Amino acid sequence: MSHTQTFVTHLECSATGKRYEADRVHGLSEAGKPLLVRYDLDALAKAVSKETLATRQEGGFWRYAEFLPVRRAENRVALGEVMTPLVPLPRFGAKLSAKDEGRLPTGSFKARGLALAVAMAKELGLRHLAMPTNGNAGAALAAYASRAGIRTTVFCPADTPEINVREIALQGADVYRVNGLINDCGKIVGQGKDKVGWFDTSTLKEPYRIEGKKTMGIELAEQLGWRLPKAIFYPTGGGTGLIGMWKAFHELRAIGWLTGEMPKMIAVQASGCAPIVKAWQDGVDHAELWQDAHTVAAGIRVPAAIGDFLILDAVRQSGGWATAVPDEAIVDARDRVAREEGMLLCPEGAATFAAWEKAVADGLLSADDEAVLFNCATGLKYPMPDKAGSVDKDGTVDFAAMA
Ligand SMILES: *Cc1c(COP(=O)(O)O)cnc(C)c1O
């Protein structure tokens, strides 16, 4: 197959700016911080235009190949990606919509980041990938790596829902439950690097997941006709998506595809695990480890994020904020949006809705402002309450009660 061009020039430490060579296996920088991929944006802009992009048949994130680091098209790993829809929620806000990432392969937006991490692993010849996960990342890693013929080992907190653990195993990973949280799982992955020889694919510990998540921002801009909403509510765990979108917006601005105001980036966490919110309130750049983290929104149960300073930077630069919502508000939001709009959000997505309602109530936004909520996974992957009645087929059916 043909040689695609990539416009990657180098990688760069997100904290010190130190340069690293492209086309080599990299984890964190020497400073222990995430690496960011840098491109020759002038050359990129000459190679692709909004108009050529509009003519592409490919619906998913691989349509943005020029903005991505994969050099050879045959290394793209695909499972039928789609452009995820913006679903309006007009009963709540005239210009409120949810970007439904649950339509992606493996039912979550983790597909974006892991497809890129796996494609780059394939390109760089890695044979065995390991990661800690609260569920969705492990499923996406397992699926894309199996597709690419790469072995995977995945560690989940012991209380990860059965459906996540089983889908990970079915899609080809060796999966283990750990009696701890995601950071405890991460330690085991780190320790196994030398002992087993696997590559550590933890959030932000390899450079390419951010590039995959970046496509959420490019896609949103393209969907809206190359402009952005006033506010973006993002359920924040490790923060890859928020950091990635912010990077996308800067790259699009640099090539002149976006003009005008940048959106306010709003980092949403759960009250039971809100390290970024605390750091934002305290006005500091780094978040402390959150003790006794708990929330029904498993995807954002992340007590410590290695990219904390990048999340906080994006939130502050954008004029946004960080906010926490309690589990009761998350569950209530999920129930109401499903009942009133027919849209089943995942708990993390429901958290963004609760945060949007709070922002409107607090006067930070008007209900008529254009706002996008990120529903990062399908609501079907999560435990749901049983609300069914029952009928005895051999008895007398009480139709009056059903009228
Ligand atoms: C992983 C995950 C998140 C958090 O995403 P980050 O970009 O790592 O902050 C939010 N929601 C869901 C459903 C997830 O799976």
Side-chain angles (χ1 to χ4, degrees):
M1 232 173 143
S2 72
H3 212 70
T4 18
Q5 245 186 315
T6 176
F7 296 94
V8 176
T9 52
H10 64 281
L11 279 64
E12 189 181 285
C13 174
S14 56
T16 67
K18 182 173 171 172
R19 291 169 74 109
Y20 291 80
E21 234 180 297
D23 305 310
R24 298 256 181 289
V25 176
H26 290 294
L28 293 172
S29 72
E30 283 160 41
K33 300 295 180 192
L35 288 173
L36 300 174
V37 182
R38 296 299 181 201
Y39 298 81
D40 179 347
L41 293 173
D42 290 334
L44 187 160
K46 287 197 187 93
V48 63
S49 66
K50 295 177 190 175
E51 292 71 30
T52 48
L53 208 49
T55 64
R56 284 190 187 157
Q57 298 299 311
E58 201 166 10
F61 47 82
W62 291 113
R63 71 196 264 104
Y64 307 115
E66 286 84 355
F67 292 86
L68 297 173
V70 183
R71 221 169 261 288
R72 285 180 296 279
E74 67 265 27
N75 289 329
R76 292 184 199 162
V77 196
L79 281 165
E81 295 74 23
V82 294
M83 185 179 275
T84 63
L86 272 173
V87 182
L89 301 172
R91 290 204 174 87
F92 296 102
K95 288 193 240 163
L96 176 67
S97 54
K99 189 157 170 64
D100 189 13
E101 296 282 302
R103 320 283 178 107
L104 286 166
T106 70
S108 90
F109 78 140
K110 292 292 195 306
R112 296 181 188 267
L114 274 316
L116 262 294
V118 167
M120 289 307 289
K122 191 175 165 198
E123 199 152 272
L124 296 167
L126 298 174
R127 309 289 305 273
H128 188 175
L129 307 177
M131 72 151 45
T133 181
N134 282 325
N136 291 328
L141 174 72
Y144 280 94
S146 291
R147 187 95 177 159
I150 295 175
R151 189 171 164 208
T152 48
T153 305
V154 171
F155 299 89
C156 317
D159 60 355
T160 302
E162 206 56 56
I163 185 165
N164 297 100
V165 179
R166 292 182 184 194
E167 69 170 325
I168 294 168
L170 272 174
Q171 289 166 148
D174 293 326
V175 56
Y176 298 91
R177 293 175 181 277
V178 176
N179 57 339
L181 295 181
I182 190 161
N183 46 322
D184 301 303
C185 299
K187 274 185 210 143
I188 297 170
V189 171
Q191 289 161 0
K193 276 197 288 187
D194 291 335
K195 296 203 164 63
V196 189
W198 58 45
F199 179 77
D200 185 348
T201 321
S202 301
T203 305
L204 296 175
K205 287 192 183 162
E206 65 78 54
Y208 304 109
R209 279 173 71 179
I210 294 185
E211 296 306 295
K213 294 284 187 78
K214 194 176 84 175
T215 63
M216 277 192 298
I218 308 176
E219 194 175 293
L220 179 63
E222 186 182 11
Q223 262 173 326
L224 294 175
W226 301 107
R227 47 170 209 89
L228 294 169
K230 177 148 187 190
I232 292 177
F233 286 78
Y234 186 77
T236 305
T240 350
L242 196 148
I243 297 165
M245 278 195 276
W246 194 239
K247 184 171 187 284
F249 299 156
H250 280 279
E251 290 173 358
L252 292 171
R253 257 223 314 213
I255 62 171
W257 289 20
L258 277 180
T259 50
E261 270 197 54
M262 295 281 249
K264 293 179 191 306
M265 303 298 286
I266 297 136
V268 180
Q269 299 200 299
S271 307
C273 182
I276 299 297
V277 177
K278 179 164 190 309
W280 185 76
Q281 286 167 346
D282 293 348
V284 296
D285 291 336
H286 289 279
E288 283 166 41
L289 177 79
W290 190 271
Q291 301 297 334
D292 304 320
H294 61 91
T295 167
V296 293
I300 52 176
R301 192 177 63 168
V302 179
I306 191 160
D308 51 4
F309 63 107
L310 298 170
I311 302 168
L312 289 158
D313 225 36
V315 167
R316 289 186 179 122
Q317 274 184 39
S318 74
W321 59 89
T323 184
V325 288
D327 275 9
E328 304 79 72
I330 292 175
V331 171
D332 176 65
R334 179 195 64 187
D335 295 356
R336 278 189 296 128
V337 176
R339 208 169 47 233
E340 293 179 41
E341 291 281 22
M343 164 116 197
L344 182 61
L345 300 168
C346 63
E348 298 81 358
T352 65
F353 180 84
W356 174 80
E357 280 195 318
K358 191 168 108 172
V360 171
D362 292 347
L364 292 165
L365 276 182
S366 140
D368 295 332
D369 284 330
E370 187 175 21
V372 171
L373 313 177
F374 271 84
N375 185 53
C376 292
T378 169
L380 293 172
K381 278 218 231 180
Y382 295 77
M384 287 174 266
D386 179 11
K387 300 232 170 142
S390 59
V391 162
D392 175 6
K393 70 175 170 46
D394 302 318
T396 316
V397 179
D398 183 5
F399 287 108
M402 299 174 186

